[in-house]
């Protein structure tokens, strides 16, 4: 079993709380992403799970065994986990097979067992044909596969991945996302994946834990986080959400009516009538001419993005907020338009 449980975990560097009271349960065999902006504490949290850092408070258990608490700290090598770093950390003088088998040799496995595990791991990541090459003879994607094979050869119950796709170009990132999903399915291991890239997290993870300033903001499936963000930070961070002050006029069983700049529209969420923060997304705002009802706005910029035109607009009566909206029809800068809101979410507990 490789379920991971954190209770009230804290870590300070000097006077700064880098991880501030984080509690989360990761199920056995789950693929979960730790997502957030730079400096939010996600990598430190991963290092605490790995045992590379000692927590100041709280408890961490792996597979039901406490590995970190006020009185206990299990060393990384005794936690039966694999960790893959952004830098890959390959030995330049060793072959691919040598890199993959190095930790196995240090662990005292026989030559026969080492060869079996190395061959199996290289086959899993498609690197069998490159077993005798040195890292300098590999592409970025091949180095990454080698680092992943090294982790898999340990047959860990838990795999920790710290921004492993950050050094790859867009094509290779997409390719390796497919590989990570495949390997996760085949191994059944628990994956905890750190990234600042929301698209990467949503493409890979079964659940995402969003962090900000050391604290856990929300944990949920990609769909839950995108369509029902529970905090203003999550609403803004995921999917280019625009959070604007409006008014709830009616609300019943998750369906509501809201008003923005004199325009009434349907919204989702439970909130008492009154001031509220409303999350809008570019794909749910329809741009039309000024003869239609809607929020009046002026186009200030337009960019073509593969079948759609992305418009940047200044709405009237919504303060200094800038809107993004997509359309298959281009509206040139300077155009006066009307914005029709097709979907909106009332951010819980966030009054304007």
């Amino acid at each position: 079993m490789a379920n991971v449980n954190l209770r009230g975990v804290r870590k300070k560097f000097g006077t700064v709380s880098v991880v501030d009271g984080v509690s989360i349960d990761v199920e056995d065999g789950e693929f979960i992403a730790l997502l957030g902006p730079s400096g939010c504490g996600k990598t430190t949290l991963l290092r605490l799970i790995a045992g590379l850092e000692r927590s100041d408070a709280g408890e961490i258990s792996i597979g039901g065994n406490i590995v970190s608490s006020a009185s206990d700290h299990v060393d990384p090598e005794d936690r039966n986990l694999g960790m893959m770093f952004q830098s890959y950390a390959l030995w330049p003088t060793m072959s691919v097979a040598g890199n993959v088998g190095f930790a196995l040799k240090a662990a005292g496995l026989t030559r026969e067992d080492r060869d079996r595990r190395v061959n199996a791991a290289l086959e899993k990541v498609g690197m069998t044909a490159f077993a005798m090459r040195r890292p300098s003879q590999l592409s970025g994607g091949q180095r990454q596969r080698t680092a992943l094979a090294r982790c898999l050869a340990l047959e860990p119950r838990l795999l920790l991945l710290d921004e492993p796709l950050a050094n790859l170009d867009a094509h290779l990132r997409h390719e390796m996302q497919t590989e990570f999903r495949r390997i996760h399915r085949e191994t059944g291991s628990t994956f905890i994946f750190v990234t600042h890239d929301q698209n990467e997290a949503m493409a890979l993870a079964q659940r995402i834990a969003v962090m900000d300033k050391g604290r856990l903001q929300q944990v949920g499936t990609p769909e839950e986080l995108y369509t029902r963000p529970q905090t203003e930070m999550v609403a803004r961070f995921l999917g280019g959400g625009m959070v604007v002050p409006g008014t709830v006029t009616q609300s019943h069983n998750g369906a509501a009516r809201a008003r923005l700049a004199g325009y009434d529209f349907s919204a989702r969420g439970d909130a008492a009538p009154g001031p509220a923060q409303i999350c809008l997304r570019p794909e749910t705002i329809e741009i039309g001419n000024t003869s239609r009802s809607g929020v009046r706005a002026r186009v200030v910029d337009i960019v073509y993005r593969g079948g759609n035109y992305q418009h940047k607009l200044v709405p009237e009566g919504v303060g200094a907020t800038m809107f993004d909206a997509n359309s298959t029809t281009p509206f040139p800068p300077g155009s006066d338009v009307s914005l029709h809101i097709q979907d909106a979410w009332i951010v819980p507990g966030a009054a304007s």
Side-chain angles (χ1 to χ4, degrees), residues 246-257:
T247 303
V248 174
T249 56
Q250 300 175 35
S251 178
H252 181 67
N253 289 337
R257 293 289 294 174

Side-chain angles (χ1 to χ4, degrees), residues 2 35 41 51 102 106 167 176 188 211 221 231 239 241 252 266 291:
L35 174 68
F102 179 77
N167 293 332
M176 287 308 301
M211 294 185 65
T221 66
T231 71
H252 181 67
S266 297
S291 63

